[in-house]
Structures are given as C-alpha cells and as structure tokens.
PDB file of all heavy atoms in Angstrom:
ATOM      1  N   ALA A   1      -6.138  -0.414  -0.054  1.00 93.00           N
ATOM      2  CA  ALA A   1      -6.730  -0.107  -1.331  1.00 93.00           C
ATOM      3  C   ALA A   1      -7.835   1.028  -1.249  1.00 93.00           C
ATOM      4  O   ALA A   1      -8.022   1.962  -1.925  1.00 93.00           O
ATOM      5  CB  ALA A   1      -7.135  -1.251  -2.148  1.00 93.00           C
ATOM      6  N   GLU A   2      -8.734   0.813  -0.315  1.00 93.00           N
ATOM      7  CA  GLU A   2      -9.848   1.613  -0.092  1.00 93.00           C
ATOM      8  C   GLU A   2      -9.546   3.048   0.337  1.00 93.00           C
ATOM      9  O   GLU A   2     -10.144   3.947  -0.097  1.00 93.00           O
ATOM     10  CB  GLU A   2     -10.782   1.032   1.045  1.00 93.00           C
ATOM     11  CG  GLU A   2     -12.093   1.740   1.215  1.00 93.00           C
ATOM     12  CD  GLU A   2     -13.019   1.644   0.098  1.00 93.00           C
ATOM     13  OE1 GLU A   2     -12.952   0.735  -0.767  1.00 93.00           O
ATOM     14  OE2 GLU A   2     -13.916   2.580  -0.087  1.00 93.00           O
ATOM     15  N   ARG A   3      -8.509   3.174   0.976  1.00 90.00           N
ATOM     16  CA  ARG A   3      -7.961   4.511   1.415  1.00 90.00           C
ATOM     17  C   ARG A   3      -7.609   5.420   0.128  1.00 90.00           C
ATOM     18  O   ARG A   3      -7.507   6.647   0.215  1.00 90.00           O
ATOM     19  CB  ARG A   3      -6.841   4.481   2.346  1.00 90.00           C
ATOM     20  CG  ARG A   3      -7.307   4.044   3.762  1.00 90.00           C
ATOM     21  CD  ARG A   3      -6.209   4.254   4.786  1.00 90.00           C
ATOM     22  NE  ARG A   3      -5.006   3.441   4.541  1.00 90.00           N
ATOM     23  CZ  ARG A   3      -4.956   2.201   5.200  1.00 90.00           C
ATOM     24  NH1 ARG A   3      -5.954   1.796   6.015  1.00 90.00           N
ATOM     25  NH2 ARG A   3      -3.883   1.493   5.025  1.00 90.00           N
ATOM     26  N   GLY A   4      -7.332   4.656  -1.006  1.00 90.00           N
ATOM     27  CA  GLY A   4      -6.939   5.345  -2.135  1.00 90.00           C
ATOM     28  C   GLY A   4      -8.058   6.162  -2.926  1.00 90.00           C
ATOM     29  O   GLY A   4      -7.819   6.924  -3.896  1.00 90.00           O
ATOM     30  N   TRP A   5      -9.303   5.742  -2.689  1.00 91.00           N
ATOM     31  CA  TRP A   5     -10.389   6.266  -3.405  1.00 91.00           C
ATOM     32  C   TRP A   5     -10.951   7.584  -2.768  1.00 91.00           C
ATOM     33  O   TRP A   5     -10.985   7.703  -1.592  1.00 91.00           O
ATOM     34  CB  TRP A   5     -11.537   5.308  -3.499  1.00 91.00           C
ATOM     35  CG  TRP A   5     -11.217   4.027  -4.214  1.00 91.00           C
ATOM     36  CD1 TRP A   5     -11.107   2.858  -3.746  1.00 91.00           C
ATOM     37  CD2 TRP A   5     -11.011   3.980  -5.654  1.00 91.00           C
ATOM     38  NE1 TRP A   5     -10.865   1.945  -4.726  1.00 91.00           N
ATOM     39  CE2 TRP A   5     -10.789   2.639  -5.853  1.00 91.00           C
ATOM     40  CE3 TRP A   5     -10.928   4.963  -6.692  1.00 91.00           C
ATOM     41  CZ2 TRP A   5     -10.460   2.138  -7.202  1.00 91.00           C
ATOM     42  CZ3 TRP A   5     -10.636   4.353  -7.925  1.00 91.00           C
ATOM     43  CH2 TRP A   5     -10.433   2.979  -8.181  1.00 91.00           C
ATOM     44  N   PRO A   6     -11.332   8.583  -3.577  1.00 84.00           N
ATOM     45  CA  PRO A   6     -11.970   9.764  -2.986  1.00 84.00           C
ATOM     46  C   PRO A   6     -13.211   9.409  -2.217  1.00 84.00           C
ATOM     47  O   PRO A   6     -14.074   8.627  -2.782  1.00 84.00           O
ATOM     48  CB  PRO A   6     -12.336  10.591  -4.279  1.00 84.00           C
ATOM     49  CG  PRO A   6     -11.447  10.091  -5.294  1.00 84.00           C
ATOM     50  CD  PRO A   6     -11.100   8.635  -5.077  1.00 84.00           C
ATOM     51  N   GLY A   7     -13.266   9.863  -0.959  1.00 72.00           N
ATOM     52  CA  GLY A   7     -14.403   9.394  -0.191  1.00 72.00           C
ATOM     53  C   GLY A   7     -14.307   8.021   0.476  1.00 72.00           C
ATOM     54  O   GLY A   7     -15.154   7.662   1.169  1.00 72.00           O
ATOM     55  N   GLY A   8     -13.293   7.313   0.148  1.00 60.00           N
ATOM     56  CA  GLY A   8     -13.136   5.953   0.751  1.00 60.00           C
ATOM     57  C   GLY A   8     -12.624   6.124   2.200  1.00 60.00           C
ATOM     58  O   GLY A   8     -12.296   7.105   2.750  1.00 60.00           O
ATOM     59  N   ALA A   9     -12.816   4.947   2.916  1.00 53.00           N
ATOM     60  CA  ALA A   9     -12.369   4.942   4.331  1.00 53.00           C
ATOM     61  C   ALA A   9     -10.991   5.383   4.459  1.00 53.00           C
ATOM     62  O   ALA A   9     -10.147   4.789   3.859  1.00 53.00           O
ATOM     63  CB  ALA A   9     -12.608   3.493   4.915  1.00 53.00           C
ATOM     64  N   GLY A  10     -10.765   6.379   5.295  1.00 51.00           N
ATOM     65  CA  GLY A  10      -9.455   6.821   5.489  1.00 51.00           C
ATOM     66  C   GLY A  10      -8.764   7.693   4.405  1.00 51.00           C
ATOM     67  O   GLY A  10      -7.659   7.905   4.332  1.00 51.00           O
ATOM     68  N   SER A  11      -9.691   8.030   3.564  1.00 47.00           N
ATOM     69  CA  SER A  11      -9.214   8.869   2.351  1.00 47.00           C
ATOM     70  C   SER A  11      -8.708  10.297   2.678  1.00 47.00           C
ATOM     71  O   SER A  11      -8.325  11.063   1.769  1.00 47.00           O
ATOM     72  CB  SER A  11     -10.256   8.878   1.208  1.00 47.00           C
ATOM     73  OG  SER A  11     -11.461   9.572   1.715  1.00 47.00           O
ATOM     74  N   GLY A  12      -8.986  10.672   3.899  1.00 47.00           N
ATOM     75  CA  GLY A  12      -8.528  12.069   4.261  1.00 47.00           C
ATOM     76  C   GLY A  12      -7.072  12.138   4.582  1.00 47.00           C
ATOM     77  O   GLY A  12      -6.534  13.190   5.009  1.00 47.00           O
ATOM     78  N   ALA A  13      -6.373  10.948   4.411  1.00 47.00           N
ATOM     79  CA  ALA A  13      -4.781  10.981   4.706  1.00 47.00           C
ATOM     80  C   ALA A  13      -4.160  11.983   3.821  1.00 47.00           C
ATOM     81  O   ALA A  13      -4.684  12.373   2.751  1.00 47.00           O
ATOM     82  CB  ALA A  13      -4.363   9.587   4.501  1.00 47.00           C
ATOM     83  N   ALA A  14      -2.971  12.287   4.115  1.00 47.00           N
ATOM     84  CA  ALA A  14      -2.088  13.305   3.325  1.00 47.00           C
ATOM     85  C   ALA A  14      -1.902  12.666   1.909  1.00 47.00           C
ATOM     86  O   ALA A  14      -1.774  11.441   1.753  1.00 47.00           O
ATOM     87  CB  ALA A  14      -0.839  13.456   4.029  1.00 47.00           C
ATOM     88  N   PRO A  15      -1.827  13.527   0.888  1.00 44.00           N
ATOM     89  CA  PRO A  15      -1.681  13.001  -0.450  1.00 44.00           C
ATOM     90  C   PRO A  15      -0.341  12.336  -0.610  1.00 44.00           C
ATOM     91  O   PRO A  15       0.613  12.568   0.259  1.00 44.00           O
ATOM     92  CB  PRO A  15      -1.801  14.281  -1.312  1.00 44.00           C
ATOM     93  CG  PRO A  15      -1.528  15.392  -0.357  1.00 44.00           C
ATOM     94  CD  PRO A  15      -2.048  14.905   0.864  1.00 44.00           C
ATOM     95  N   PHE A  16      -0.136  11.630  -1.628  1.00 45.00           N
ATOM     96  CA  PHE A  16       1.161  10.930  -1.900  1.00 45.00           C
ATOM     97  C   PHE A  16       2.325  11.911  -1.972  1.00 45.00           C
ATOM     98  O   PHE A  16       2.202  12.884  -2.637  1.00 45.00           O
ATOM     99  CB  PHE A  16       1.061  10.113  -3.207  1.00 45.00           C
ATOM    100  CG  PHE A  16       2.371   9.371  -3.551  1.00 45.00           C
ATOM    101  CD1 PHE A  16       2.733   8.282  -3.021  1.00 45.00           C
ATOM    102  CD2 PHE A  16       3.227  10.008  -4.534  1.00 45.00           C
ATOM    103  CE1 PHE A  16       3.911   7.605  -3.361  1.00 45.00           C
ATOM    104  CE2 PHE A  16       4.343   9.461  -4.952  1.00 45.00           C
ATOM    105  CZ  PHE A  16       4.846   8.253  -4.376  1.00 45.00           C
ATOM    106  N   ASP A  17       3.447  11.557  -1.228  1.00 45.00           N
ATOM    107  CA  ASP A  17       4.495  12.405  -1.236  1.00 45.00           C
ATOM    108  C   ASP A  17       5.842  11.568  -1.621  1.00 45.00           C
ATOM    109  O   ASP A  17       6.175  10.693  -0.939  1.00 45.00           O
ATOM    110  CB  ASP A  17       4.810  12.909   0.192  1.00 45.00           C
ATOM    111  CG  ASP A  17       6.130  13.749   0.166  1.00 45.00           C
ATOM    112  OD1 ASP A  17       6.808  13.963  -0.799  1.00 45.00           O
ATOM    113  OD2 ASP A  17       6.438  14.290   1.283  1.00 45.00           O
ATOM    114  N   PRO A  18       6.181  11.648  -2.914  1.00 43.00           N
ATOM    115  CA  PRO A  18       7.279  10.808  -3.428  1.00 43.00           C
ATOM    116  C   PRO A  18       8.599  10.996  -2.663  1.00 43.00           C
ATOM    117  O   PRO A  18       9.408  10.073  -2.734  1.00 43.00           O
ATOM    118  CB  PRO A  18       7.552  11.291  -4.868  1.00 43.00           C
ATOM    119  CG  PRO A  18       7.029  12.772  -4.879  1.00 43.00           C
ATOM    120  CD  PRO A  18       5.847  12.721  -3.929  1.00 43.00           C
ATOM    121  N   ASP A  19       8.777  12.006  -1.909  1.00 46.00           N
ATOM    122  CA  ASP A  19      10.001  12.264  -0.989  1.00 46.00           C
ATOM    123  C   ASP A  19       9.907  11.615   0.317  1.00 46.00           C
ATOM    124  O   ASP A  19      10.856  11.675   1.178  1.00 46.00           O
ATOM    125  CB  ASP A  19      10.344  13.703  -1.010  1.00 46.00           C
ATOM    126  CG  ASP A  19      10.614  14.229  -2.329  1.00 46.00           C
ATOM    127  OD1 ASP A  19      11.327  13.599  -3.137  1.00 46.00           O
ATOM    128  OD2 ASP A  19      10.324  15.472  -2.572  1.00 46.00           O
ATOM    129  N   ALA A  20       8.744  11.173   0.722  1.00 54.00           N
ATOM    130  CA  ALA A  20       8.442  10.765   2.086  1.00 54.00           C
ATOM    131  C   ALA A  20       9.140   9.317   2.283  1.00 54.00           C
ATOM    132  O   ALA A  20       9.260   8.619   1.376  1.00 54.00           O
ATOM    133  CB  ALA A  20       6.954  10.575   2.412  1.00 54.00           C
ATOM    134  N   GLU A  21       9.456   9.037   3.454  1.00 65.00           N
ATOM    135  CA  GLU A  21      10.011   7.751   3.907  1.00 65.00           C
ATOM    136  C   GLU A  21       8.899   6.685   3.734  1.00 65.00           C
ATOM    137  O   GLU A  21       7.819   6.914   4.226  1.00 65.00           O
ATOM    138  CB  GLU A  21      10.629   7.695   5.251  1.00 65.00           C
ATOM    139  CG  GLU A  21      11.971   8.552   5.336  1.00 65.00           C
ATOM    140  CD  GLU A  21      13.116   7.850   4.520  1.00 65.00           C
ATOM    141  OE1 GLU A  21      13.107   6.627   4.506  1.00 65.00           O
ATOM    142  OE2 GLU A  21      13.794   8.547   4.028  1.00 65.00           O
ATOM    143  N   PRO A  22       9.132   5.565   3.078  1.00 64.00           N
ATOM    144  CA  PRO A  22       8.197   4.460   3.117  1.00 64.00           C
ATOM    145  C   PRO A  22       7.804   4.023   4.471  1.00 64.00           C
ATOM    146  O   PRO A  22       8.598   4.025   5.402  1.00 64.00           O
ATOM    147  CB  PRO A  22       8.921   3.341   2.276  1.00 64.00           C
ATOM    148  CG  PRO A  22       9.991   4.019   1.579  1.00 64.00           C
ATOM    149  CD  PRO A  22      10.495   5.194   2.544  1.00 64.00           C
ATOM    150  N   ASP A  23       6.457   3.796   4.640  1.00 75.00           N
ATOM    151  CA  ASP A  23       5.970   3.133   6.028  1.00 75.00           C
ATOM    152  C   ASP A  23       6.318   1.797   6.079  1.00 75.00           C
ATOM    153  O   ASP A  23       6.036   1.048   5.211  1.00 75.00           O
ATOM    154  CB  ASP A  23       4.472   3.359   5.931  1.00 75.00           C
ATOM    155  CG  ASP A  23       3.800   3.043   7.276  1.00 75.00           C
ATOM    156  OD1 ASP A  23       4.457   2.153   8.056  1.00 75.00           O
ATOM    157  OD2 ASP A  23       2.718   3.305   7.568  1.00 75.00           O
ATOM    158  N   PRO A  24       7.117   1.383   7.105  1.00 81.00           N
ATOM    159  CA  PRO A  24       7.673  -0.002   7.227  1.00 81.00           C
ATOM    160  C   PRO A  24       6.485  -1.054   7.278  1.00 81.00           C
ATOM    161  O   PRO A  24       6.586  -2.110   6.702  1.00 81.00           O
ATOM    162  CB  PRO A  24       8.445   0.000   8.465  1.00 81.00           C
ATOM    163  CG  PRO A  24       8.851   1.475   8.645  1.00 81.00           C
ATOM    164  CD  PRO A  24       7.689   2.203   8.028  1.00 81.00           C
ATOM    165  N   ALA A  25       5.408  -0.705   7.926  1.00 79.00           N
ATOM    166  CA  ALA A  25       4.221  -1.587   7.988  1.00 79.00           C
ATOM    167  C   ALA A  25       3.534  -1.830   6.702  1.00 79.00           C
ATOM    168  O   ALA A  25       3.290  -2.952   6.388  1.00 79.00           O
ATOM    169  CB  ALA A  25       3.139  -0.974   9.009  1.00 79.00           C
ATOM    170  N   HIS A  26       3.626  -0.761   5.886  1.00 81.00           N
ATOM    171  CA  HIS A  26       3.084  -0.867   4.469  1.00 81.00           C
ATOM    172  C   HIS A  26       4.009  -1.851   3.621  1.00 81.00           C
ATOM    173  O   HIS A  26       3.544  -2.697   2.868  1.00 81.00           O
ATOM    174  CB  HIS A  26       2.800   0.493   3.817  1.00 81.00           C
ATOM    175  CG  HIS A  26       1.523   1.099   4.262  1.00 81.00           C
ATOM    176  ND1 HIS A  26       1.206   2.420   3.894  1.00 81.00           N
ATOM    177  CD2 HIS A  26       0.592   0.611   5.091  1.00 81.00           C
ATOM    178  CE1 HIS A  26       0.099   2.721   4.342  1.00 81.00           C
ATOM    179  NE2 HIS A  26      -0.368   1.701   5.109  1.00 81.00           N
ATOM    180  N   LEU A  27       5.265  -1.640   3.786  1.00 85.00           N
ATOM    181  CA  LEU A  27       6.226  -2.325   2.977  1.00 85.00           C
ATOM    182  C   LEU A  27       6.106  -3.714   3.402  1.00 85.00           C
ATOM    183  O   LEU A  27       6.153  -4.741   2.519  1.00 85.00           O
ATOM    184  CB  LEU A  27       7.624  -1.892   3.375  1.00 85.00           C
ATOM    185  CG  LEU A  27       7.992  -0.475   2.722  1.00 85.00           C
ATOM    186  CD1 LEU A  27       9.500  -0.121   3.210  1.00 85.00           C
ATOM    187  CD2 LEU A  27       7.890  -0.378   1.263  1.00 85.00           C
ATOM    188  N   GLU A  28       5.984  -4.113   4.635  1.00 91.00           N
ATOM    189  CA  GLU A  28       5.778  -5.460   5.080  1.00 91.00           C
ATOM    190  C   GLU A  28       4.534  -6.124   4.527  1.00 91.00           C
ATOM    191  O   GLU A  28       4.450  -7.232   4.085  1.00 91.00           O
ATOM    192  CB  GLU A  28       5.767  -5.572   6.614  1.00 91.00           C
ATOM    193  CG  GLU A  28       5.690  -6.974   7.207  1.00 91.00           C
ATOM    194  CD  GLU A  28       5.825  -7.025   8.698  1.00 91.00           C
ATOM    195  OE1 GLU A  28       6.192  -5.957   9.272  1.00 91.00           O
ATOM    196  OE2 GLU A  28       5.404  -8.004   9.304  1.00 91.00           O
ATOM    197  N   LEU A  29       3.355  -5.345   4.603  1.00 91.00           N
ATOM    198  CA  LEU A  29       2.129  -5.866   4.094  1.00 91.00           C
ATOM    199  C   LEU A  29       2.188  -6.082   2.533  1.00 91.00           C
ATOM    200  O   LEU A  29       1.766  -7.112   2.135  1.00 91.00           O
ATOM    201  CB  LEU A  29       1.080  -4.651   4.363  1.00 91.00           C
ATOM    202  CG  LEU A  29      -0.345  -4.989   3.692  1.00 91.00           C
ATOM    203  CD1 LEU A  29      -0.977  -6.106   4.523  1.00 91.00           C
ATOM    204  CD2 LEU A  29      -1.251  -3.655   3.989  1.00 91.00           C
ATOM    205  N   PHE A  30       2.844  -5.192   1.833  1.00 90.00           N
ATOM    206  CA  PHE A  30       2.911  -5.398   0.313  1.00 90.00           C
ATOM    207  C   PHE A  30       3.839  -6.524   0.008  1.00 90.00           C
ATOM    208  O   PHE A  30       3.522  -7.294  -0.875  1.00 90.00           O
ATOM    209  CB  PHE A  30       3.481  -4.089  -0.229  1.00 90.00           C
ATOM    210  CG  PHE A  30       2.634  -2.982  -0.159  1.00 90.00           C
ATOM    211  CD1 PHE A  30       3.034  -1.625  -0.149  1.00 90.00           C
ATOM    212  CD2 PHE A  30       1.187  -3.060  -0.003  1.00 90.00           C
ATOM    213  CE1 PHE A  30       2.204  -0.525  -0.088  1.00 90.00           C
ATOM    214  CE2 PHE A  30       0.398  -2.024   0.119  1.00 90.00           C
ATOM    215  CZ  PHE A  30       0.862  -0.709   0.102  1.00 90.00           C
ATOM    216  N   ALA A  31       4.911  -6.730   0.838  1.00 92.00           N
ATOM    217  CA  ALA A  31       5.880  -7.810   0.575  1.00 92.00           C
ATOM    218  C   ALA A  31       5.107  -9.124   0.742  1.00 92.00           C
ATOM    219  O   ALA A  31       5.289 -10.194  -0.099  1.00 92.00           O
ATOM    220  CB  ALA A  31       7.128  -7.766   1.527  1.00 92.00           C
ATOM    221  N   ALA A  32       4.344  -9.279   1.744  1.00 93.00           N
ATOM    222  CA  ALA A  32       3.503 -10.423   2.050  1.00 93.00           C
ATOM    223  C   ALA A  32       2.514 -10.723   0.933  1.00 93.00           C
ATOM    224  O   ALA A  32       2.314 -11.813   0.408  1.00 93.00           O
ATOM    225  CB  ALA A  32       2.889 -10.352   3.367  1.00 93.00           C
ATOM    226  N   ALA A  33       1.916  -9.602   0.459  1.00 94.00           N
ATOM    227  CA  ALA A  33       0.901  -9.788  -0.611  1.00 94.00           C
ATOM    228  C   ALA A  33       1.601 -10.151  -1.840  1.00 94.00           C
ATOM    229  O   ALA A  33       1.059 -11.078  -2.597  1.00 94.00           O
ATOM    230  CB  ALA A  33       0.131  -8.392  -0.729  1.00 94.00           C
ATOM    231  N   PHE A  34       2.674  -9.551  -2.222  1.00 93.00           N
ATOM    232  CA  PHE A  34       3.333  -9.838  -3.483  1.00 93.00           C
ATOM    233  C   PHE A  34       3.804 -11.398  -3.487  1.00 93.00           C
ATOM    234  O   PHE A  34       3.819 -12.046  -4.523  1.00 93.00           O
ATOM    235  CB  PHE A  34       4.520  -8.946  -3.766  1.00 93.00           C
ATOM    236  CG  PHE A  34       4.020  -7.602  -4.082  1.00 93.00           C
ATOM    237  CD1 PHE A  34       4.933  -6.482  -4.011  1.00 93.00           C
ATOM    238  CD2 PHE A  34       2.683  -7.289  -4.470  1.00 93.00           C
ATOM    239  CE1 PHE A  34       4.513  -5.266  -4.460  1.00 93.00           C
ATOM    240  CE2 PHE A  34       2.217  -5.950  -4.758  1.00 93.00           C
ATOM    241  CZ  PHE A  34       3.274  -4.938  -4.669  1.00 93.00           C
ATOM    242  N   ALA A  35       4.322 -11.955  -2.283  1.00 95.00           N
ATOM    243  CA  ALA A  35       4.698 -13.199  -2.221  1.00 95.00           C
ATOM    244  C   ALA A  35       3.564 -14.140  -2.365  1.00 95.00           C
ATOM    245  O   ALA A  35       3.624 -15.240  -3.071  1.00 95.00           O
ATOM    246  CB  ALA A  35       5.282 -13.467  -0.893  1.00 95.00           C
ATOM    247  N   ARG A  36       2.303 -13.910  -1.865  1.00 94.00           N
ATOM    248  CA  ARG A  36       1.144 -14.697  -2.081  1.00 94.00           C
ATOM    249  C   ARG A  36       0.783 -14.654  -3.477  1.00 94.00           C
ATOM    250  O   ARG A  36       0.270 -15.689  -4.060  1.00 94.00           O
ATOM    251  CB  ARG A  36       0.014 -14.134  -1.119  1.00 94.00           C
ATOM    252  CG  ARG A  36       0.006 -14.377   0.196  1.00 94.00           C
ATOM    253  CD  ARG A  36      -1.376 -14.185   0.768  1.00 94.00           C
ATOM    254  NE  ARG A  36      -1.933 -12.864   0.463  1.00 94.00           N
ATOM    255  CZ  ARG A  36      -1.829 -11.747   1.032  1.00 94.00           C
ATOM    256  NH1 ARG A  36      -0.979 -11.605   2.063  1.00 94.00           N
ATOM    257  NH2 ARG A  36      -2.392 -10.617   0.700  1.00 94.00           N
ATOM    258  N   TRP A  37       0.808 -13.437  -4.136  1.00 95.00           N
ATOM    259  CA  TRP A  37       0.242 -13.371  -5.499  1.00 95.00           C
ATOM    260  C   TRP A  37       1.158 -13.900  -6.636  1.00 95.00           C
ATOM    261  O   TRP A  37       0.698 -14.145  -7.656  1.00 95.00           O
ATOM    262  CB  TRP A  37       0.077 -11.873  -5.814  1.00 95.00           C
ATOM    263  CG  TRP A  37      -0.968 -11.137  -5.049  1.00 95.00           C
ATOM    264  CD1 TRP A  37      -1.927 -11.740  -4.272  1.00 95.00           C
ATOM    265  CD2 TRP A  37      -1.057  -9.716  -4.726  1.00 95.00           C
ATOM    266  NE1 TRP A  37      -2.764 -10.885  -3.667  1.00 95.00           N
ATOM    267  CE2 TRP A  37      -2.224  -9.554  -3.919  1.00 95.00           C
ATOM    268  CE3 TRP A  37      -0.486  -8.666  -5.139  1.00 95.00           C
ATOM    269  CZ2 TRP A  37      -2.662  -8.315  -3.373  1.00 95.00           C
ATOM    270  CZ3 TRP A  37      -0.835  -7.325  -4.676  1.00 95.00           C
ATOM    271  CH2 TRP A  37      -2.059  -7.347  -3.801  1.00 95.00           C
ATOM    272  N   LYS A  38       2.483 -14.182  -6.135  1.00 93.00           N
ATOM    273  CA  LYS A  38       3.362 -14.714  -7.137  1.00 93.00           C
ATOM    274  C   LYS A  38       2.740 -16.111  -7.892  1.00 93.00           C
ATOM    275  O   LYS A  38       2.903 -16.363  -8.963  1.00 93.00           O
ATOM    276  CB  LYS A  38       4.658 -15.116  -6.533  1.00 93.00           C
ATOM    277  CG  LYS A  38       5.751 -15.610  -7.525  1.00 93.00           C
ATOM    278  CD  LYS A  38       7.033 -15.898  -6.925  1.00 93.00           C
ATOM    279  CE  LYS A  38       7.761 -14.760  -6.319  1.00 93.00           C
ATOM    280  NZ  LYS A  38       9.033 -15.038  -5.846  1.00 93.00           N
ATOM    281  N   ASP A  39       2.134 -16.873  -6.960  1.00 92.00           N
ATOM    282  CA  ASP A  39       1.578 -18.221  -7.436  1.00 92.00           C
ATOM    283  C   ASP A  39       0.088 -18.195  -7.577  1.00 92.00           C
ATOM    284  O   ASP A  39      -0.523 -19.288  -7.760  1.00 92.00           O
ATOM    285  CB  ASP A  39       2.089 -19.313  -6.652  1.00 92.00           C
ATOM    286  CG  ASP A  39       3.577 -19.413  -6.520  1.00 92.00           C
ATOM    287  OD1 ASP A  39       4.133 -19.350  -7.659  1.00 92.00           O
ATOM    288  OD2 ASP A  39       4.184 -19.633  -5.480  1.00 92.00           O
ATOM    289  N   ALA A  40      -0.551 -17.029  -7.345  1.00 94.00           N
ATOM    290  CA  ALA A  40      -2.063 -17.008  -7.280  1.00 94.00           C
ATOM    291  C   ALA A  40      -2.557 -16.962  -8.727  1.00 94.00           C
ATOM    292  O   ALA A  40      -1.892 -16.467  -9.558  1.00 94.00           O
ATOM    293  CB  ALA A  40      -2.509 -15.769  -6.477  1.00 94.00           C
ATOM    294  N   ALA A  41      -3.762 -17.373  -8.874  1.00 96.00           N
ATOM    295  CA  ALA A  41      -4.388 -17.285 -10.146  1.00 96.00           C
ATOM    296  C   ALA A  41      -4.675 -15.921 -10.510  1.00 96.00           C
ATOM    297  O   ALA A  41      -4.945 -15.016  -9.681  1.00 96.00           O
ATOM    298  CB  ALA A  41      -5.835 -18.034 -10.059  1.00 96.00           C
TER     299      ALA A  41
END
C-alpha cells in the first residue's frame, strides 16, 4: 500500500499498466489478505 502513494517507499516504480501480466507474488499476497479479511472485523 505504501508504494502507491506519491513519495511513498518504493513509489518510483513504473505506473500501473492494465496490459501488464499480474505479479504472481502480489496475487498470492492479495489472496492471503482477502482470505483473512473475509471474517475480520
């Protein structure tokens, strides 16, 4: 999340590209987070 803010850590990464292949590591990270959040307050 921090990388998404202007000036945030790692914010110098390339801008969002809708045609780019998803990063498998990010997909795994998000899948785990969404599974946790399903029952979270």
